[in-house]
Amino acid sequence: MSVQVAEMKSAIATGHETVFVDRFTNGILDPNKPMLGPVRDGGHIVANTAPGCWGPMITPEIRGGHEVTMPVAVAGAEVGDAIAIRIKDITVTSLATSSGNDQIMSGRFLGDPYVAGKCPDCGALYPKTVLRGIGPTAVRCAACGADASPFTFTNGYTIAFDANRTVGVTLDQEAAEQIAYNARAYAALPENSIQNPILTFAPHDLVGLVARLRPFMGQLGTTPSIPFPDSHNAGDFGSFLIGAPHEYGLTADQLAHRTDGHMDIDAVRAGAILICPVKVAGGGVYLGDMHALQGDGEIAGHTCDVSGTVTLQVHVIKGLTIDGPILLPVEEDLPFLARPLSAEEKAKALAVAQQWGVDRLEESAPISVIGTGPDLNAATDNGLERAAALLGMTVPEVKNRATITGAIEIGRNPGVVQVTFRAPVDRLEKVGLLPFVCDQYGMG
C-alpha cells in the first residue's frame, strides 16, 4: 500500500465541507489509487465533468471507455455501509455534441475496443494520439501516424443547443464541419480532460431534427473493490471482461466486485436520490458521462454526451449492506402505479377495505432497485433478487408488488433495469431508508 493511500484511509474519519473535482481517471476505477477528499458526511461534491462514450471511445489512451472524475472519499463510510447521494444540480456546459450508432474498427484493439485500444500499424497498446484535420480519420497515432480510432459511426449526427440548454437541433455538413474545427471549445472540455472531442468527426446524417434536453448522469456511483474499466462497472458491459485477453480481464466471480455505477438511467437527474454500496473504505464517489438527453433503453448505444457541472450532497447510511444501487426518482419519473397514494385515493381504498373486513391499509412508499446483467432477463432477475434481499421478501412477492404497484423499466439495453414498486414503510424503516423516502416524497 502506498503512503498516499495509507494517509487517505487514516483521514476518512474527518472531512471537508465541499470537495471540488476537476481531475479524471485514465478510465480505470482502481481502489488502490488515492482518492480526493474526504468530504464530510452531509457535505458536498462539486464537479466539472467531461463527456463519456464517444470522446473517450476515440481516445485509445483512455482505458475504460469513459473519462470519469477521480473518486472522492466520504468520511465515516466503511465497507458494508451505503452512501445516499442527493443530486442537487446538473448543468450542461457544452454548446454542441456529436453522437450516433457505432461500428467497431477491426485490428485496432485487444479483445475490447472500449478498454484496450491498439494502433493497427505499430501495435502500441493505449497509444497516445493527435488530431490531424477533421472527419472520421482525424485521430492518428502520435508515434507512427496511423488512423487509430477503434470506433466510427454507422449513422451519426451533430447537435447544437440553445443558450439555456433546453432544446437541440441536428446540423448539416457545413455547420458540423465549422464546429469540428473548434471542437474542444464547443464541447466545453474541462482543462484536465485528455479525450479527443467527438465533434471532430463532424457526423451529419440527421439534419434539422429537434430534441428536448433533460440532463442526467450516465455514471454516478462508488468505487468497485477491484480495478474496473469505468464503462464496464455494470453487469452488462462487465460481462465483456470475463476471460478477456487484456490486463483487465476478470473471472465471472470477480464481477461481484462491481458497484453498477454505469447505469445510463435517465431518472438519475437533478432532484433524485441515489443510494450506492460501499465496497472500499471511504466509498469513493465518482461521476461522469453526463447525457443531455436520452430515451429509455439508449437503444442507439449512445446519446448526447456533454460536459457539465454537478453538485451532489452525500450521507452515510451505517450498516446498510447492498450489492448495487437503489434509486429514489423525482415523483414525476415514477411509473404511474408506483406513485404515492393521494389522500383521496387512500380514503377510497379504506372504504373498500372496511367493506370487506380489512381494518387497515398497508403504509407503503416508492423505491427503485437497480438490476444489471448480460441481458435484460438476467438484469431483471438481478434486480428482483436485490430487492428481495433488501426488504426481507421472497422474489415472488417482489414480482407481485412490481406488477400491481410499479413496473420494470429499461435503463440501458442490453442489461440495466429498474425494479420499481411501493414497499412497506416498516421494511424501509428497518434498513434505514425511510428518512430519505419520506423526504423525497413529502411523507410525514
Side-chain angles (χ1 to χ4, degrees):
M1 181 185 301
S2 72
V3 173
Q4 282 182 303
V5 173
E7 289 176 348
M8 183 277 294
K9 288 187 175 181
S10 68
I12 285 174
T14 61
H16 303 285
E17 173 60 42
T18 304
V19 174
F20 296 93
V21 187
D22 66 352
R23 289 184 284 165
F24 306 95
T25 71
N26 67 345
I28 302 299
L29 298 167
D30 190 342
N32 303 306
K33 296 289 181 65
M35 298 181 189
L36 301 177
V39 62
R40 74 169 181 88
D41 183 2
H44 295 78
I45 299 170
V46 179
N48 183 192
T49 67
C53 289
W54 270 104
M57 284 163 53
I58 64 167
T59 310
E61 182 181 352
I62 297 174
R63 303 185 181 197
H66 284 163
E67 191 176 30
V68 300
T69 60
M70 289 184 64
V72 177
V74 180
E78 301 172 309
V79 175
D81 295 336
I83 296 173
I85 303 172
R86 298 177 188 270
I87 307 174
K88 309 294 281 189
D89 179 72
I90 299 176
T91 299
V92 175
T93 54
S94 294
L95 301 170
T97 191
S98 295
S99 192
N101 189 243
D102 68 73
Q103 177 181 324
I104 296 169
M105 306 295 283
S106 63
R108 300 185 184 184
F109 57 92
L110 176 62
D112 189 326
Y114 292 93
V115 175
K118 182 180 72 171
C119 176
D121 285 6
C122 70
L125 273 177
Y126 321 119
K128 292 183 180 296
T129 54
V130 295
L131 295 177
R132 293 182 182 169
I134 64 171
T137 63
V139 176
R140 298 284 173 163
C141 174
C144 73
D147 180 1
S149 172
F151 294 91
T152 192
F153 288 110
T154 59
N155 184 279
Y157 52 89
T158 296
I159 184 168
F161 309 129
D162 72 306
N164 291 320
R165 311 305 194 271
T166 59
V167 296
V169 180
T170 57
L171 305 179
D172 62 15
Q173 181 175 357
E174 181 179 359
E177 290 182 349
Q178 178 182 337
I179 287 174
Y181 282 112
N182 198 15
R184 192 173 183 93
Y186 278 96
L189 289 187
E191 292 180 4
N192 293 320
S193 170
I194 65 168
Q195 67 180 259
N196 297 314
I198 189 56
L199 285 162
T200 303
F201 277 23
H204 51 271
D205 294 310
L206 298 176
V207 179
L209 182 63
V210 179
R212 299 183 182 94
L213 270 65
R214 193 168 76 168
F216 68 97
M217 301 311 298
Q219 286 258 20
L220 178 59
T222 47
T223 300
S225 44
I226 62 174
F228 254 83
D230 50 18
S231 67
H232 290 31
N233 184 24
D236 51 357
F237 276 78
S239 65
F240 302 159
L241 300 174
I242 298 174
H246 52 73
E247 63 182 294
Y248 303 106
L250 302 176
T251 66
D253 289 344
Q254 287 177 312
L255 284 183
H257 292 273
R258 74 184 193 271
T259 60
D260 285 343
H262 182 206
M263 293 179 289
D264 287 336
I265 291 174
D266 61 355
V268 183
R269 66 185 181 100
I273 301 173
L274 184 69
I275 297 102
C276 302
V278 175
K279 296 192 176 183
V280 298
V285 175
Y286 74 93
L287 61 156
D289 192 27
M290 184 187 292
H291 294 179
L293 55 105
Q294 179 195 293
D296 282 358
E298 197 181 20
I299 198 62
H302 310 284
T303 185
C304 300
D305 309 302
V306 288
S307 302
T309 58
V310 185
T311 301
L312 309 173
Q313 185 180 25
V314 295
H315 306 272
V316 177
I317 306 177
K318 299 300 293 183
L320 177 57
T321 302
I322 53 178
D323 185 49
I326 300 165
L327 180 64
L328 304 179
V330 297
E331 189 166 336
E332 69 178 280
D333 289 349
L334 288 167
F336 173 73
L337 297 179
R339 293 172 186 170
L341 296 170
S342 67
E344 181 181 3
E345 288 172 321
K346 287 181 178 180
K348 289 180 179 179
L350 183 59
V352 174
Q354 291 174 339
Q355 179 183 351
W356 292 94
V358 177
D359 59 3
R360 68 180 185 86
L361 301 176
E362 178 188 271
E363 290 294 328
S364 62
I367 188 173
S368 188
V369 177
I370 309 305
T372 73
D375 55 49
L376 291 173
N377 286 335
T380 301
D381 289 342
N382 178 242
L384 292 169
E385 291 164 1
R386 285 174 170 177
L390 172 71
L391 297 170
M393 299 176 179
T394 64
V395 168
E397 180 178 347
V398 175
K399 287 181 176 180
N400 279 334
R401 288 179 177 276
T403 299
I404 67 174
T405 70
I408 304 297
E409 302 169 278
I410 300 173
R412 177 180 62 239
N413 187 66
V416 178
V417 304
Q418 295 173 254
V419 178
T420 307
F421 58 97
R422 280 188 275 115
V425 295
D426 59 341
R427 305 288 182 97
L428 296 173
E429 183 176 25
K430 184 177 180 180
V431 297
L433 290 175
L434 188 57
F436 297 96
V437 173
C438 289
D439 185 44
Q440 182 71 339
Y441 301 116
M443 300 169 57

